[in-house]
Amino acid sequence: MPKRSEEMLTDVWTSLMLVWITCVPYTSMTPIISQSKSLQTGSTALLRGLVEGQRILSRAKRGWVWNQMFVLEEFSGPDPILVGRLHTDLDVGSTPIKYVLAGEGAGTIFAINEITGDIHAMKRLDREEKAEYTLTAQVTNRDTDQPLEPPSEFIIKVQDINDNPPQFVEGPYRASVPETSQVGTSVTRVTATDADDPVYGNSAKLVYSILEGQPYFSIDPNTAIIKIALHGMDREMREEYLVVIQAKDMGGHMGGLSGTTTVTVTLTDVNDNPPKFSKSLYEFVIPEDLAIGQPGGKVKANDRDIGENAKSTYNIIDGDERDVFEITTDAQTQEGILRLKKPLNFETKKSYTLKVEAANIRFDPNSGAPFKDTATVKIAVEDSDEPPVFSKPTFVLQVDENAPINTVVGTVTARDPDVTGSLVRYFIDRHTDLERQFNVNVDDGKITLAKPLDRETDMWHNITVTATEIRNHSQISRATVAIRVLDINDNAPEFATEYEAFLCENGKPGQVIQTVSAVDKDDPIQGHYFEYRLIPEMLNNPNFTIKNNGDNSISVLAKHDTFRRQKQEMYFLPIIVTDNGNPPMSSTNTLTIRVCGCSREGIVQSCNVEAYVLPIGLSMGALIAILACIILLLVIVVLFVTLRRHKNKPLIIKDDEDVRENIIRYDDEGGGEEDTEAFDIATLQNPDGINGYLPRKDIKPDLQFMPRQSSALNTIVFTCFLKMIVLIPHYRCMICFCFIYLFLFAFVSVLQVISE
């Protein structure tokens, strides 16, 4: 019977192994088979012990064997999936055994049968979220919850399946490559990622291919490098390409997942096209009055390239009179603009033929391609009605000053350059001749004087003369006429300034009193030369003489040393000055000489001239100080007088309308005239007497109230002041002593007031 039970148990485990092999790939079966064999051995031993009736004892060596368990990701079914089974040698049936599971996902993701030790996955797992779980298993007593063995750690790995397609995270891509690149030139590289396990199977092994973009581009299936596959790709034909790239896992085999991205490839420009004129011959008609620098025509050479490769420069390489025209490049439109360098003249030349070249600024000299083109430009000059042309742009004329009216100054000429040759009339622009000093003949252009000219007033006169066609008054041209006024000797020389000389009384004979020079308003070509001499009446002057210094100046000298101010204070010396003009001009100028008192060093001290300050003179500051003192003393005097009068003022104020009544009532009859003398009204009104003084009985009444006389001191001061004025006639001294007198007078007045 025991043998039969053992065989039945073996059959059960065999059936379970077949189911496990069916559900789990072969590569993950080895640990489970080992586990199953261990379980079979343990079960056989357990049954054998039960049959023999022997008691099971605890062992130090663990009865289960495992390394790791596996579970397929994304597995879904009606029942939880069995991951594995835990079993211990202690589980013989007699001991209440309980299996306990702890760790990552225990109780939520993974559940264990406490009795059998079966572990089930309760949820669908995703390896890309978590690839493995670390759990702890332990055997405890079901009744007491006491651990029967130490806890043991094991790992449940989530086995990968191909459930994630490749993805291009950085797509879509943009790339560029120069046009006309060689076959095999690298364009760019793309990268796809696969979330599946790269070390398990081929789920993450990617292979790249081009779905769209052939035959222009190719891609390496392993490195994903996109390359040029077609020779001579031209940007001017097609500039942009859209390439679709596919990445497939499972090594590209059937059943693999795939992902795609796009790569926009742009061909960059290279200078492989020369400029080309739209036509070989350009014809322009330019009016002859076109201003210098103005455009006369435009040419254009087209270039199929872009950017810097399309920029061209234009030059005139051949043609008649190339210096008349120039050609420049417009940076915006890349056109060649034909401009004038010199004025055109239809009457001289009516047409021009030029050869213009356009060349690229940037090109490869080793390419051998002619990156330039040429065109012919024919220019026809159109006749225009031009204004008159003066023979010279500026005329310089001369005329003598003081020339008579209607004197011809000069002639200006102008002509009509047109073939018709219209007559010309001349006019003066009066804005340039406001005083109307000149006239011009309208027919022949002769300029004449309208007013006399003075060189000393204006040396140059600038006027503008206009020339106008008779048949077309709008055609006007202008010319500047500069008229120089020539000098004639019409001004006599004169002293450079009004000289005033000073002579010391104690001077020495031959002493230089003054150096005199002259000026002349005229401006002779040979320069000025002045001749000085005394008037004939003064040739034998006993006091002064002159000496020529040789530099158009003279020195006036004294002949003796006996000059005295008391004898003669001022001398006048007439001097004749003559120039060297034709005819000579002369004038008489008088030199004033003052006799002054000087110090021993020869310094002028006094000659009654305001320009010299005398030693006894007073400054303005001193005068102001004296005046301030006098005013201060006068104020003090007024204050003292006011106080004095206020002190002597009677207590009873007298009024013109003061009316007093003395009413005396008696019960008896009055005493007659004796009673009328009882009161004196005047005494009551002024108890101190007249003007504050009581009458004195020892002085006669007519002498008591006489006005006070000036003191003798004031008389003495005034007498001295008059004598000083007589002795010192200078006005500054007089002013000084006047102030001193006023000061002393005020001081004496103050003393009198104080003494009273």
Side-chain angles (χ1 to χ4, degrees), residues 405-410 427-428 430 433 436-442 445-451 463 465 483:
I405 296 175
N406 294 327
T407 299
V408 177
V409 179
F427 302 94
I428 292 178
R430 292 303 177 183
D433 185 23
R436 295 182 175 269
Q437 294 179 310
F438 304 94
N439 290 323
V440 64
N441 190 296
V442 295
K446 287 183 179 180
I447 299 175
T448 58
L449 282 179
K451 293 181 180 180
I463 63 175
V465 177
I483 302 174

Side-chain angles (χ1 to χ4, degrees), residues 622-638:
L623 294 176
I624 294 175
I626 293 173
L627 183 61
C629 292
I630 292 173
I631 294 173
L632 180 61
L633 289 175
L634 292 176
V635 171
I636 294 173
V637 169
V638 173

Side-chain angles (χ1 to χ4, degrees), residues 738-752:
C738 285
F739 279 119
I740 294 174
Y741 170 74
L742 292 175
F743 177 77
L744 292 176
F745 178 78
F747 181 72
V748 171
S749 300
V750 172
L751 290 178
Q752 288 180 354

Side-chain angles (χ1 to χ4, degrees), residues 453-683:
L453 302 178
D454 186 7
R455 190 202 67 85
E456 286 70 39
T457 303
D458 287 309
M459 186 181 299
W460 286 91
H461 296 270
N462 296 317
I463 63 175
T464 300
V465 177
T466 62
T468 307
E469 292 183 8
I470 294 178
R471 64 175 183 177
N472 187 359
H473 297 290
S474 63
Q475 297 296 331
I476 302 175
S477 59
R478 289 173 169 80
T480 302
V481 180
I483 302 174
R484 180 183 180 185
V485 182
L486 300 178
D487 182 48
I488 63 173
N489 196 26
D490 59 343
N491 292 280
E494 57 187 12
F495 279 174
T497 184
E498 294 183 4
Y499 294 102
E500 188 175 19
F502 300 94
L503 174 64
C504 292
E505 290 180 319
N506 56 353
K508 297 178 181 180
Q511 179 182 1
V512 177
I513 301 173
Q514 181 70 46
T515 300
V516 178
S517 62
V519 293
D520 195 335
K521 294 181 179 180
D522 295 322
D523 188 15
I525 299 175
Q526 64 274 15
H528 288 293
Y529 176 77
F530 301 123
E531 179 184 354
Y532 300 86
R533 68 180 185 275
L534 299 175
I535 61 176
E537 294 81 0
M538 292 286 183
L539 290 178
N540 297 322
N541 190 323
N543 298 316
F544 306 100
T545 185
I546 60 175
K547 183 184 71 173
N548 193 341
N549 296 327
D551 57 353
N552 281 339
S553 67
I554 60 171
S555 297
V556 180
L557 308 177
K559 284 187 175 182
H560 56 83
D561 59 352
T562 60
F563 296 97
R564 295 293 180 269
R565 282 183 292 172
Q566 293 80 3
K567 181 179 179 181
Q568 185 174 349
E569 183 181 359
M570 189 177 299
Y571 294 88
F572 298 98
L573 184 63
I575 300 174
I576 300 175
V577 186
T578 306
D579 61 16
N580 60 336
N582 187 16
M585 301 290 291
S586 62
S587 65
T588 301
N589 301 266
T590 302
L591 176 64
T592 302
I593 302 173
R594 293 181 180 272
V595 181
C596 303
C598 303
S599 64
R600 293 182 179 180
E601 293 79 11
I603 300 175
V604 177
Q605 292 181 337
S606 174
C607 55
N608 294 333
V609 178
E610 284 294 330
Y612 294 87
V613 180
L614 298 179
I616 61 174
L618 294 176
S619 64
M620 182 61 67
L623 294 176
I624 294 175
I626 293 173
L627 183 61
C629 292
I630 292 173
I631 294 173
L632 180 61
L633 289 175
L634 292 176
V635 171
I636 294 173
V637 169
V638 173
L639 290 176
F640 271 103
V641 171
T642 304
L643 292 175
R644 186 71 178 180
R645 289 182 177 180
H646 183 71
K647 180 178 179 182
N648 297 329
K649 191 173 183 180
L651 297 176
I652 300 176
I653 300 174
K654 182 179 180 180
D655 195 348
D656 294 338
E657 298 180 358
D658 186 13
V659 178
R660 298 179 180 269
E661 293 183 358
N662 296 321
I663 302 174
I664 302 174
R665 298 179 183 273
Y666 297 97
D667 294 334
D668 54 357
E669 294 182 358
E673 294 181 357
E674 295 179 357
D675 292 336
T676 60
E677 296 178 357
F679 297 93
D680 189 356
I681 299 301
T683 304

Side-chain angles (χ1 to χ4, degrees), residues 73-85:
E73 67 168 333
E74 304 295 341
F75 180 82
S76 60
D79 299 324
I81 182 174
L82 179 64
V83 179
R85 175 178 294 174

Side-chain angles (χ1 to χ4, degrees), residues 134-337:
T134 301
L135 300 170
T136 301
Q138 191 174 21
V139 178
T140 61
N141 190 304
R142 187 182 305 115
D143 298 332
T144 62
D145 287 335
Q146 294 295 323
L148 301 179
E149 287 187 358
S152 181
E153 187 177 88
F154 66 98
I155 297 174
I156 297 177
K157 287 189 174 183
V158 181
Q159 199 168 26
D160 182 56
I161 64 173
N162 190 20
D163 59 342
N164 292 281
Q167 293 182 352
F168 292 91
V169 180
E170 299 178 359
Y173 298 85
R174 298 192 68 89
S176 61
V177 64
E179 63 174 330
T180 68
S181 296
Q182 298 294 326
V183 175
T185 302
S186 177
V187 178
T188 187
R189 180 178 181 177
V190 296
T191 303
T193 58
D194 196 321
D196 293 326
D197 192 354
V199 298
Y200 178 76
N202 295 327
S203 298
K205 185 177 181 181
L206 305 180
V207 174
Y208 299 90
S209 61
I210 291 181
L211 299 182
E212 184 180 340
Q214 295 175 339
Y216 307 105
F217 302 96
S218 63
I219 188 170
D220 188 288
N222 298 318
T223 62
I225 297 176
I226 302 174
K227 301 178 181 180
I228 295 291
L230 187 63
H231 178 73
M233 298 178 66
D234 191 1
R235 187 201 64 83
E236 288 72 34
M237 298 296 296
R238 183 177 177 182
E239 184 176 4
E240 193 171 85
Y241 297 85
L242 184 64
V243 182
V244 180
I245 304 297
Q246 182 189 64
K248 191 173 184 180
D249 59 11
M250 298 300 293
H253 294 92
M254 186 74 68
L257 303 178
S258 63
T260 60
T261 188
T262 59
V263 181
T264 303
V265 181
T266 303
L267 298 182
T268 58
D269 184 63
V270 298
N271 193 13
D272 57 345
N273 293 281
K276 186 70 176 177
F277 283 104
S278 58
K279 51 186 177 179
S280 60
L281 177 63
Y282 292 86
E283 293 180 346
F284 302 107
V285 177
I286 300 177
E288 64 172 332
D289 58 354
L290 183 68
I292 295 176
Q294 292 298 316
K298 297 180 181 180
V299 297
K300 178 68 179 294
N302 298 313
D303 195 325
R304 297 177 64 192
D305 297 321
I306 59 175
E308 294 294 327
N309 296 326
K311 291 184 178 181
S312 300
T313 180
Y314 297 87
N315 294 288
I316 299 175
I317 61 174
D318 197 5
D320 47 356
E321 298 191 32
R322 285 178 291 170
D323 56 346
V324 177
F325 298 93
E326 65 177 354
I327 190 168
T328 59
T329 304
D330 190 328
Q332 300 296 329
T333 62
Q334 287 298 303
E335 293 178 323
I337 302 176

